[in-house]
Amino acid sequence: STQSTGDTRLSMEKHQILQAGFALILVLDFILFVCACYSCRKCYVTPCENASGLEDIYRVNDGMGFQLVFTSMTLFTHAVHSALLINKGLNPSSFGYLTGSMIFFTVLLLALAAYWTCISIEIMGDLNGEYTLSSGETATRNSGLKSAIECAAAMLWFEWIGYAVLVGLLQMWEQDIMSSQASGDRASEPHSDFGPAAYQTQYQVDGYPPPVNSGAVAGPAVSASPVKPQDFAPMTSSNVRL
């Protein structure tokens, strides 16, 4: 019918919008990955502080770099998997997994975006003069690192907005997405030409009527032979063994 065709087309458009959203997440995440790789082990000032213990305070240390790179790789994997799930079709189980995982990443992205924005503004933004290192050298702000951290913070904010919007759309379109998948499953199920009688067994037990609609003919019941008194032998001492 015309209405059914229109509903199917609308549902397909919603699937495509969700997939386009995750494709945009992939693009943003690739930019985040490049910024994260560039920022690893870079110093806030140049030349770097080389004093033991202070060098990790004045740079993007290994823990911070690993956090950003690993997060970008995880987001990339999740976005690809989510797009494949939507393309395959969602059932109640996969819909619950997708919703829960997206809410988790939305919260994670909010925390990371706030963290790297603080580094961008409170550290890199305030380093705007000349500084004397412990070695006596004069250092200035690393402008290249400042741009990379600002870019990483911006990508985290954009991805947070993208995930929040996708979670909202997923909840708004839940009925349409699930109903289209259910109708597709019903349409793909093979139809059987057999009626209820096909599920009935054709086995026949002597003395009992055949199954309904089986077409079998019942045979005569087997009559039991009468029991005679001589069939039971009296108990004597000769046939009792100790």
Side-chain angles (χ1 to χ4, degrees), residues 45 47-55 58 131-139:
V45 294
C48 294
E49 174 65 61
N50 295 320
S52 178
L54 296 179
E55 57 181 353
Y58 284 88
Y131 303 92
T132 302
L133 304 179
S134 59
S135 60
E137 297 180 279
T138 301

Side-chain angles (χ1 to χ4, degrees), residues 12 49 67 101 113 116 147-148 169 193 226:
M12 291 300 297
E49 174 65 61
Q67 176 201 74
S101 60
W116 285 96
S147 300
L169 293 177
D193 295 332

Side-chain angles (χ1 to χ4, degrees), residues 12 80 119 155 201 204 212 218 237:
M12 291 300 297
V80 171
I119 295 177
M155 292 304 104
T201 179
Q204 177 181 348
V212 180
S237 60

Side-chain angles (χ1 to χ4, degrees), residues 5 8 24 29 33 37 39 46 49 126 132 142 170 196 203 224 237:
T5 304
T8 304
L24 179 60
D29 192 64
F33 178 76
C37 291
S39 302
T46 180
E49 174 65 61
D126 291 343
T132 302
N142 188 344
L170 198 64
Y203 293 110
S237 60

Side-chain angles (χ1 to χ4, degrees), residues 163-185:
Y163 264 90
V165 171
L166 287 174
V167 169
L169 293 177
L170 198 64
Q171 297 303 309
M172 289 172 54
W173 297 341
E174 177 182 1
Q175 297 298 328
D176 296 332
I177 295 174
M178 300 299 293
S179 61
S180 64
Q181 177 64 20
S183 60
D185 292 341

Side-chain angles (χ1 to χ4, degrees), residues 145-230:
L145 178 62
K146 181 178 184 297
S147 300
I149 291 180
E150 288 177 347
C151 179
M155 292 304 104
L156 287 170
W157 281 114
F158 286 144
E159 289 194 65
W160 173 73
I161 294 173
Y163 264 90
V165 171
L166 287 174
V167 169
L169 293 177
L170 198 64
Q171 297 303 309
M172 289 172 54
W173 297 341
E174 177 182 1
Q175 297 298 328
D176 296 332
I177 295 174
M178 300 299 293
S179 61
S180 64
Q181 177 64 20
S183 60
D185 292 341
R186 288 194 297 268
S188 62
E189 288 180 357
H191 296 281
S192 176
D193 295 332
F194 298 96
Y199 297 97
Q200 296 178 355
T201 179
Q202 297 295 326
Y203 293 110
Q204 177 181 348
V205 181
D206 291 340
Y208 295 94
V212 180
N213 297 330
S214 65
V217 180
V222 179
S223 59
S225 58
V227 180
K228 301 178 180 180
Q230 54 268 28

Side-chain angles (χ1 to χ4, degrees), residues 65-85:
F66 175 80
Q67 176 201 74
L68 203 56
V69 172
F70 182 76
T71 300
S72 63
M73 295 173 62
T74 305
L75 289 169
F76 185 88
T77 304
H78 181 264
V80 171
H81 186 224
S82 299
L84 293 177
L85 275 180

